[in-house]
Amino acid sequence: MTASKPPNQDQDSPEQLLALLKWYRAAGVDLGVGDKPIDRFAHAHMSATSVKSESHSTPPSLPGQAFAPRPVSTSQSAPAPAPQATNADPEEAEKLAQGAGSLDELRKRLEKYEGCGLKLRATQMVFADGNPQAKIMLIGEAPGRDEDLQGKPFVGRSGQLLDRMLYAIGLDRTSVYIANTVPWRPPGNRTPSPLEISLCMPFLVRQVELVAPKIIVTLGAAATQTMFGEKLSILKTRGRWRDIKVGAHAAKAMPTLHPAFLLRQPVQKRQAWQDMLAIATLAEEMGLSGGDSD
Ligand code: URA
């Protein structure tokens, strides 16, 4: 949730302002925004180092076509004094990501990447957790508040539930690798936009190529639609194995329900449990005994 500046802030005493802040916090407001919207992507288009033309900003469509962004409109852009311009050039992301020969290098390149505006508001990047040699990779939607503070995916309440789900089938973070569709927290925990996802997509694709998992599990609708490139209903597609090609890497993939959804709708845990059993069964059939198997 967001709050704009209170109208009579100048006349309020420090005590009143503190009380107001406390009230905001209790109401779930965790982000302050200005009175006027700023189109930071439009600003990036205007900056000397950014994209050459608007037609150039066609995002990569790999594999997330369902999230294929529409061109950014610059018609309403205020002459924004953005503190940091972003460089929304999808070709830059593609080049940076493809040039990474290891996960460490990919992480460093992503740290330097200025193309996605989410970075401006995030505390830090959330790259991955788990075992890079694992043959099972989980892909979530985006870091939340706890992940943003700790720099690791799935460490908040939904992460704790995810850990319990994994534990129930004999897995843990030493036997899986976990990443998200975007590595920075969207303000107020909103779903990342199609543009944000597509600007980060080349890094996720390369991450999958470098980890080379045999099994990919997409957690929730956003990750599922991003990875399969289709507008799929998570409730209809969950629990079904599909072949997936991510960049140069092929794997078996299954969508399942996002743990945050399960926290809101515990009645759906039965379905998630079936999915976990299916993952355990396939992992056994494939002879995947944990991190260092091949
Ligand atoms: N939800 C996600 O999708 N990813 C995280 O890392 C945390 C919560």
Side-chain angles (χ1 to χ4, degrees):
M1 222 185 265
T2 60
S4 55
K5 202 175 85 174
N8 61 344
Q9 187 175 350
D10 294 343
Q11 291 122 46
D12 289 333
S13 69
E15 290 74 24
Q16 283 170 314
L17 286 174
L18 193 62
L20 183 66
L21 277 177
K22 282 189 179 156
W23 185 85
Y24 276 156
R25 198 171 66 173
V29 175
D30 57 2
L31 181 75
V33 296
D35 293 337
K36 297 216 173 75
I38 297 172
D39 186 344
R40 294 183 195 280
F41 284 106
H43 182 74
H45 279 267
M46 288 184 276
S47 85
T49 55
S50 67
V51 283
K52 293 125 212 145
S53 71
E54 199 169 305
S55 63
H56 201 77
S57 67
T58 310
S61 59
L62 225 190
Q65 284 161 322
F67 276 78
R70 289 185 292 274
V72 181
S73 162
T74 55
S75 58
Q76 296 170 357
S77 60
Q84 278 170 276
T86 57
N87 182 355
D89 180 352
E91 282 177 17
E92 186 211 357
E94 193 76 39
K95 260 191 248 151
L96 276 173
Q98 280 305 315
S102 68
L103 286 169
D104 266 358
E105 204 186 333
L106 187 69
R107 177 197 284 266
K108 284 185 194 137
R109 285 167 176 246
L110 188 51
E111 287 274 16
K112 289 200 196 124
Y113 177 55
E114 302 290 340
C116 177
L118 289 177
K119 184 178 183 179
L120 299 176
R121 291 263 177 79
T123 309
Q124 59 188 313
M125 186 176 88
V126 177
F127 184 67
D129 195 22
N131 184 347
Q133 263 93 50
K135 297 298 168 204
I136 301 176
M137 178 166 178
L138 311 182
I139 302 179
E141 179 179 317
R145 186 173 151 273
D146 296 305
E147 290 75 22
D148 178 67
L149 292 174
Q150 294 188 40
K152 271 192 200 175
F154 285 101
V155 290
R157 275 185 73 222
S158 60
Q160 285 156 19
L161 176 56
L162 180 64
D163 284 341
R164 288 201 294 277
M165 289 160 70
L166 292 172
Y167 184 75
I169 55 165
L171 300 175
D172 60 20
R173 293 188 188 220
T174 66
S175 45
V176 300
Y177 182 84
I178 309 176
N180 279 308
T181 61
V182 294
W184 293 285
R185 179 198 185 194
N189 289 352
R190 63 167 169 74
T191 301
S193 73
L195 180 62
E196 288 156 353
I197 291 180
S198 67
L199 288 168
C200 296
M201 197 63 201
F203 292 93
L204 180 59
V205 169
R206 189 72 189 129
Q207 205 168 4
V208 173
E209 286 176 342
L210 289 166
V211 175
K214 298 229 160 101
I215 292 177
I216 294 175
V217 180
T218 54
L219 301 167
T224 299
Q225 294 179 11
T226 296
M227 298 313 292
F228 291 104
E230 291 167 54
K231 195 126 187 72
L232 300 165
S233 149
I234 184 67
L235 288 171
K236 288 199 185 127
T237 51
R238 56 140 284 276
R240 297 189 189 182
W241 289 110
R242 298 165 67 130
D243 292 315
I244 195 171
K245 190 99 193 284
V246 184
H249 182 71
K252 287 275 173 204
M254 181 203 276
T256 190
L257 303 174
H258 194 289
F261 174 73
L262 297 175
L263 287 171
R264 289 193 303 273
Q265 298 209 18
V267 70
Q268 304 282 355
K269 282 184 185 168
R270 171 197 281 259
Q271 318 247 53
W273 174 236
Q274 282 166 6
D275 299 348
M276 297 313 286
L277 290 177
I279 294 164
T281 303
L282 185 64
E284 201 172 315
E285 279 167 19
M286 287 179 149
L288 313 179
S289 58
D292 49 13
S293 62
D294 207 322

